[in-house]
Amino acid sequence: QSEVEAAASYATSSELDGASELFAYGVRHLDSIGERDAPELCTLQLAVSDLALAARLGHARAAERLASIASRREFVSACCLGCGATHKLRRCNGCRVAVFCDSECLRRMWPVHKPSCLQWREGGQ
């Protein structure tokens, strides 16, 4: 194995280890929120940012957990679903419920947000 291949393999395994660790942190924060209707914003923000980063690094189940957040109205209007930011937020033009900090986060999270967006657009809960 060449040095370049070894470095690439190490980088990939390091990213996956990092994604797994971020996923675990995100799940821990999400579990501490539980079914509360008004979670602490900082805990929600940590869960979203950890899970979003884990998803970007390739963790397979991170998007699934983000979808559980994306389906709850009280969560998606508190912080950006793509990164957890709480400033300079814009509402989704479709549902007018979910907020995103920029078009990049919306584009990246559209597959996760789309089912709820369509439901809320039609007036569903």
Side-chain angles (χ1 to χ4, degrees):
Q1 189 176 27
S2 74
E3 286 184 35
V4 173
E5 289 172 329
S9 175
Y10 175 77
T12 302
S13 68
S14 294
E15 284 179 357
L16 291 177
D17 289 346
S20 295
E21 192 172 318
L22 285 164
F23 177 75
Y25 287 138
V27 168
R28 195 171 311 131
H29 293 304
L30 195 56
D31 288 347
S32 74
I33 292 169
E35 294 299 315
R36 287 182 281 178
D37 287 336
E40 293 179 14
L41 181 57
C42 62
T43 306
L44 177 60
Q45 186 179 5
L46 287 169
V48 170
S49 62
D50 289 344
L51 291 171
L53 186 53
R56 284 197 302 271
L57 290 174
H59 194 283
R61 293 181 21 225
E64 182 182 305
R65 292 307 292 256
L66 279 170
S68 72
I69 294 172
S71 66
R72 295 187 58 184
R73 246 180 218 266
E74 67 275 15
F75 287 5
V76 297
S77 61
C79 64
C80 175
L81 185 60
C83 67
T86 57
H87 61 282
K88 296 185 181 180
L89 299 175
R90 298 182 191 135
R91 294 209 177 273
C92 168
N93 286 331
C95 65
R96 306 295 301 159
V97 175
V99 293
F100 296 90
C101 65
D102 60 24
S103 59
E104 172 62 25
C105 279
L106 173 58
R107 184 186 59 72
R108 189 175 59 253
M109 297 311 298
W110 178 244
V112 172
H113 173 57
K114 183 179 178 180
S116 298
C117 184
L118 296 174
Q119 180 183 5
W120 293 330
R121 203 182 299 186
E122 295 169 0
Q125 296 296 324

